[in-house]
């Protein structure tokens, strides 16, 4: 299992100006996260942290591939990912409600855990539809899908249409002739 401790950033310990961090994510990172839908990948993350008066700006840039199931054949496939994430954090009291785009970190602790926001940016970069390139899908699954879709279409052709629809079509045709 991967330790998520490396994704905890000690904001109070950062020097004034800009700090850069880099991480390589692999399958262990995704397996360590609870409730993660993406279960594998190989990604490189670079983080630029700018410490300013009263706030911290974190810019994440993630590039690599994730392993996800193909929507068509259900075999695993490699999906290229490029994701950018911007976080703004401030130090404050824990009871302070989070604003829409600002994360409030407890001023006594001063540590920001970026493991889950990083995962969310990766998951959101996965396209809605993900399928293999033509010809790369599992051949056995594709034959079965073709067989089942042919059976379904022949069943639909065999069913008689409702006579009420036929009567409506005749009315429509008569109306178009006028």
């Amino acid at each position: 299992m991967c330790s998520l401790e490396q994704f905890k950033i000690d904001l109070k310990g950062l020097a004034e100006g800009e700090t850069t961090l880099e991480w390589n994510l692999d399958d262990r990172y995704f397996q360590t996260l609870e409730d993660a839908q993406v279960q594998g990948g190989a990604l490189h993350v670079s983080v630029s942290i700018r410490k300013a008066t009263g706030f911290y700006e974190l810019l994440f840039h993630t590039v690599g591939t994730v392993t996800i199931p193909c929507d068509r054949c259900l075999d695993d496939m490699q999906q290229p990912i490029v994701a950018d994430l911007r976080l703004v954090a401030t130090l404050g009291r824990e009871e302070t409600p989070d604003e829409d785009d600002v994360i409030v970190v407890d001023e006594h602790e001063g540590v920001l855990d970026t493991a889950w926001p990083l995962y969310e940016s990766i998951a959101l970069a996965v396209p809605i539809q993900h399928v293999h390139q033509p010809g790369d899908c599992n051949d056995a699954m594709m034959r079965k899908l073709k067989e089942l879709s042919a059976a379904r279409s022949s069943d639909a052709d065999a069913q008689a249409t409702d006579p009420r629809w036929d009567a409506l079509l005749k009315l429509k045709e008569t109306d178009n002739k006028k």
Side-chain angles (χ1 to χ4, degrees), residues 153-174:
S153 66
S154 66
D155 289 345
D157 293 341
Q159 294 176 351
T161 59
D162 189 334
R164 293 175 288 182
W165 291 113
D166 291 337
L168 286 172
L169 284 173
K170 287 180 186 175
L171 283 174
K172 183 178 176 184
E173 290 171 2
T174 306

Side-chain angles (χ1 to χ4, degrees), residues 1-9 23-36 111-119:
M1 285 293 202
C2 173
S3 172
L4 297 178
E5 288 298 315
Q6 65 182 329
F7 303 106
K8 292 183 178 181
I9 300 172
W23 301 306
N24 288 313
L25 308 180
D26 57 13
D27 294 347
R28 293 176 297 165
Y29 165 76
F30 295 101
Q31 292 165 358
T32 302
L33 292 172
E34 294 180 24
D35 300 325
V111 176
L112 174 64
D113 187 357
T114 62
W116 191 253
L118 178 59
Y119 168 76

Side-chain angles (χ1 to χ4, degrees), residues 12-29:
K12 290 167 60 172
L14 292 175
E16 221 30 73
E18 192 167 314
T19 304
T20 303
L21 301 172
E22 293 191 11
W23 301 306
N24 288 313
L25 308 180
D26 57 13
D27 294 347
R28 293 176 297 165
Y29 165 76

Side-chain angles (χ1 to χ4, degrees), residues 11 14-19 49-58 88-91:
L11 298 176
L14 292 175
E16 221 30 73
E18 192 167 314
T19 304
I49 307 167
R50 185 173 61 94
K51 181 178 180 180
T53 306
F55 71 95
Y56 302 84
E57 180 182 42
L58 295 87
V88 176
T90 62
L91 297 176

Side-chain angles (χ1 to χ4, degrees), residues 24-147:
N24 288 313
L25 308 180
D26 57 13
D27 294 347
R28 293 176 297 165
Y29 165 76
F30 295 101
Q31 292 165 358
T32 302
L33 292 172
E34 294 180 24
D35 300 325
Q37 294 177 354
V38 177
Q39 289 297 314
L43 300 153
H44 179 76
V45 180
S46 58
V47 186
S48 173
I49 307 167
R50 185 173 61 94
K51 181 178 180 180
T53 306
F55 71 95
Y56 302 84
E57 180 182 42
L58 295 87
L59 301 173
F60 294 80
H61 181 71
T62 307
V63 178
T65 60
V66 293
T67 306
I68 53 177
C70 173
D71 287 341
R72 201 175 289 141
C73 71
L74 303 178
D75 279 356
D76 283 345
M77 63 174 279
Q78 300 300 313
Q79 177 67 50
I81 296 291
V82 176
D84 291 308
L85 172 66
R86 178 181 179 267
L87 293 178
V88 176
T90 62
L91 297 176
R93 288 181 291 135
E94 211 172 298
E95 297 87 33
T96 308
D98 288 348
E99 296 179 25
D100 287 343
D101 56 352
V102 177
I103 299 172
V104 178
V105 177
D106 182 13
E107 61 190 353
H108 300 294
E109 188 176 319
V111 176
L112 174 64
D113 187 357
T114 62
W116 191 253
L118 178 59
Y119 168 76
E120 287 178 337
S121 74
I122 294 166
L124 288 172
V126 174
I128 292 173
Q129 181 181 21
H130 28 86
V131 295
H132 283 109
Q133 295 296 322
D136 289 346
C137 278
N138 181 317
D139 290 333
M141 181 65 84
M142 295 311 295
R143 282 193 301 276
K144 191 65 174 176
L145 284 172
K146 190 173 184 178
E147 174 188 315

